[in-house]
Amino acid sequence: MSMKLSVKHTVDQWFNKIAKNPALGRTVSILWLIVIGWIAFGWNLGNIGLIDETEPLFAEASRQMFVTGDWITPFFNGDTRFDKPALIYWCQAIAYAIIGVNEWAVRLPSAIAAFALVCLVFYTIQWYFAKQDELEQVSRPTRRYLTSFIAAALMALNPETIIWARTGVSDMLLTGCMASALLCFFLGYAEKGGSREQGAGSRGAKLITNAPSPMPHALFPNKWYIACYVLIAGAILSKGPVGIVLPGLIVAVFLLYVGKFREVLREMRLLVGVLIILGLSVPWFALVIWRNGWNYINAFFGYHNLERFTEVVNGHSAPWYFYFLVVLLGFAPYSVYLPLSIIRLKFWQRSHWRSLERFQQFGLFAWLWFASIFGFFTVAVTKLPSYVLPLMPAAAILVALLWSDFFQDTEARQTIPVSSSPTPPISPSFLRVSGWVNVVFLSVLSIALFNITHILGTDPAISNFHEQIQRTGLPVIAGVMWLVCAVLVAALLLNRQWNQVIAINLIGFVAFLNFVLTPASFFIDRERQLPLRELSAVILEAKEPNEELIMLGFKKPSVVFYSHIHVNYLGLPQEAIDHIKNQAAKGLKPASVLLLAEQKKFLQMDLQPDDYKNLSTKGAYNLVRVPFKKKKSEKMDIS
């Protein structure tokens, strides 16, 4: 016991030293953010090839924008691409201009958006606890720094965030803009409410919280509200109307719940905000509609927005409980603490929350943020795991606030009245139950990973997929890793060392990321994507001027990106034979086509050895040249 108190006292002394030296505090904070940001988003970001099928669509559309100078209409493979607005393409094209056309440039916008969001979450947690210390007239740097460190780590180091922060698509850009807009809204909301005198606080708290409030009749709202409006415009340019619908829904639900709807809308200068949002987002939409007319309106607003919400699009249907599983696994292993984090708030006690200072409503705001997005996409008919990515920051905040109760400073622990906290202390029995659920979850995860080859489906692009996975040894490493974590968490629970449980989960995930997920990513890339990149290089060397490239039986957009060549996608062998016959009848030059096919589909064409020239075979794919001079071959039957 005395040893534990000694360690706790040493930690408190260290954080007190940081609090008394703002420069040291900023340095430690920046170093922490850089370390977790690099681990989560930077390490090996561009060392793995583009992943079919979605990522190369964005990468190639951005490359076309960069090459042609057309910054209005996105194109892929010669056709307009109206799936998403232009911001992601602009960001990737700018990255191409700076560091070249490569995988790093494709993914850099997503990684930057994720890192910026992590930094803002860190700042907001710091600010929140500094305000709480100011209100209670104490200084608790240990709780303030440890909770903000944990919040940033939870935000960065979870599967859902890492996957989309390392993928060159629009989802993380949308989440970065939307979540940052919501945090800026709350900072603006709380800053306005905190303008009256609340007593003297600590020096560290004053350094973070003191800020002038806008004049009562000022034309513009405070800086945080303005930032919120700018970021909402960015969210609209990232993915369309959802970029304003979801933040608007969350803010409206929150303000109605706390009874400040009209008051806050007035102080937000809503008309000014709408003008800012429209001024930043509408010009591109106006230009792309002016250039493409109803084709764009029907494709983007109709198919990719309205129909995705009301109908199943591209076969992406799922049961009603789909997002429960997505959050459980996507925010693993910390997701097991979300129920306790939510129950702890007692959000149903509306009168209690309405009586608090504005900044003290932060936990309630995070819960309504989480619930609104979860409910919205549960109602939507089309379901994809990436849709609930914007609720992950709220989940990280909720769990971090839960664990803040265990980071109390030794000297201040006995001096803070319970009534000053926006939430009551956690019942040890509730925490004990959640802790043992954590142990069970990690144990089940370990068993699942030991038996992963029996759970995963087959991949036609990788021969002997299950056997190769087993030979890597990664399932055993992963299973042992999480089993050890389960044992450690159980030991901590038995010794009632609650505050170290979350650290074991974080350390376990970092180890899992470095020693399992990263090697697995390289394995999948080597077996699944590398053959296509190698064949793309062969195509660049072998292709004659104006020679057509046909892809038979599959669609892999990465070939378009890496070969810089238009690809004609054909589904059936007979369809390819008929197409070659038609091209031969036209007397085109050169008198041949390049054919890239899966080996199974290629064999179904029933070509004889003298009907084609084999150029390369990589993985599951064949690249051949089919000369038109062979059109009289009976086997080809294209005379």
Side-chain angles (χ1 to χ4, degrees), residues 411-422:
E411 296 178 0
R413 186 174 298 178
Q414 303 299 327
T415 63
I416 310 303
V418 173
S419 59
S420 65
S421 175

Side-chain angles (χ1 to χ4, degrees), residues 18-238:
I18 291 177
K20 293 175 182 178
N21 187 339
L24 178 60
R26 285 191 292 270
T27 301
V28 171
S29 299
I30 291 171
L31 287 175
W32 174 256
L33 292 171
I34 290 174
V35 168
I36 64 170
W38 179 253
I39 292 172
F41 313 132
W43 186 45
N44 287 314
L45 178 67
N47 294 337
I48 294 173
L50 299 187
I51 302 170
D52 285 306
E53 278 74 25
T54 305
E55 189 177 35
L57 296 173
F58 285 88
E60 175 61 15
S62 302
R63 192 189 70 83
Q64 285 294 316
M65 191 172 282
F66 173 64
V67 171
T68 64
D70 182 354
W71 295 76
I72 304 298
T73 304
F75 286 90
F76 173 80
N77 202 34
D79 298 323
T80 53
R81 175 170 166 77
F82 294 148
D83 296 47
K84 301 296 181 288
L87 186 59
I88 182 63
Y89 306 122
W90 291 344
C91 292
Q92 289 178 337
I94 291 170
Y96 290 158
I98 297 172
I99 63 176
V101 180
N102 54 53
E103 292 86 351
W104 283 91
V106 172
R107 293 163 180 159
L108 197 59
S110 296
I112 291 175
F115 181 69
L117 177 57
V118 169
C119 293
L120 186 56
V121 168
F122 178 89
Y123 171 85
T124 307
I125 294 290
Q126 276 265 4
W127 163 89
Y128 168 74
F129 283 105
K131 291 282 283 184
Q132 187 68 29
D133 287 354
E134 183 181 3
L135 177 66
E136 298 168 356
Q137 301 185 35
V138 297
S139 177
R140 290 173 293 190
T142 299
R143 184 176 75 155
R144 189 166 75 244
Y145 277 98
L146 277 180
T147 307
S148 56
F149 288 166
I150 290 295
L154 293 174
M155 176 63 242
L157 299 170
N158 65 78
E160 183 91 351
T161 300
I162 286 176
I163 288 170
W164 298 109
R166 289 174 167 269
T167 306
V169 297
S170 60
D171 295 272
M172 184 49 74
L173 202 58
L174 169 71
T175 297
C177 290
M178 184 188 299
S180 297
L182 290 168
L183 290 172
C184 286
F185 159 77
F186 190 83
L187 288 166
Y189 166 82
E191 180 181 277
K192 178 73 175 178
S195 60
R196 63 182 182 273
E197 293 295 329
Q198 295 178 344
S202 67
R203 180 184 176 188
K206 287 182 177 180
L207 285 170
I208 295 178
T209 61
N210 285 351
S213 296
M215 297 299 292
H217 303 291
L219 175 62
F220 292 97
N222 65 45
K223 63 181 183 294
W224 292 113
Y225 285 146
I226 293 175
C228 173
Y229 294 137
V230 172
L231 288 162
I232 287 176
I236 294 172
L237 286 171
S238 297

Side-chain angles (χ1 to χ4, degrees), residues 277-344:
I277 293 171
L278 294 178
L280 292 174
S281 61
V282 164
W284 177 79
F285 284 100
L287 288 171
V288 75
I289 292 173
W290 172 69
R291 181 174 290 182
N292 298 278
W294 282 101
N295 289 335
Y296 180 81
I297 294 173
N298 291 332
F300 179 71
F301 292 103
Y303 180 75
H304 289 291
N305 282 272
L306 183 60
E307 287 189 26
R308 282 181 181 269
F309 189 81
T310 59
E311 301 176 18
V312 176
V313 172
N314 295 333
H316 296 308
S317 62
W320 62 269
Y321 54 83
F322 176 70
Y323 289 122
F324 285 94
L325 299 177
V326 172
V327 173
L328 176 65
L329 299 177
F331 194 60
Y334 334 107
S335 51
V336 294
Y337 292 102
L338 276 170
L340 181 58
S341 302
I342 294 166
I343 293 172
R344 163 185 174 272

Side-chain angles (χ1 to χ4, degrees), residues 564-610:
H564 303 170
I565 292 172
H566 180 275
V567 175
N568 187 6
Y569 297 106
L570 299 176
L572 301 174
Q574 187 59 48
E575 188 180 0
I577 292 173
D578 293 341
H579 178 77
I580 294 172
K581 179 181 68 175
N582 293 334
Q583 295 299 93
K586 295 176 182 178
L588 300 176
K589 298 293 182 180
S592 63
V593 297
L594 294 178
L595 177 66
L596 178 60
E598 292 178 330
Q599 293 180 13
K600 182 179 179 181
K601 295 290 185 181
F602 178 72
L603 293 174
Q604 291 176 5
M605 291 184 70
D606 199 21
L607 298 179
Q608 296 301 306
D610 59 344

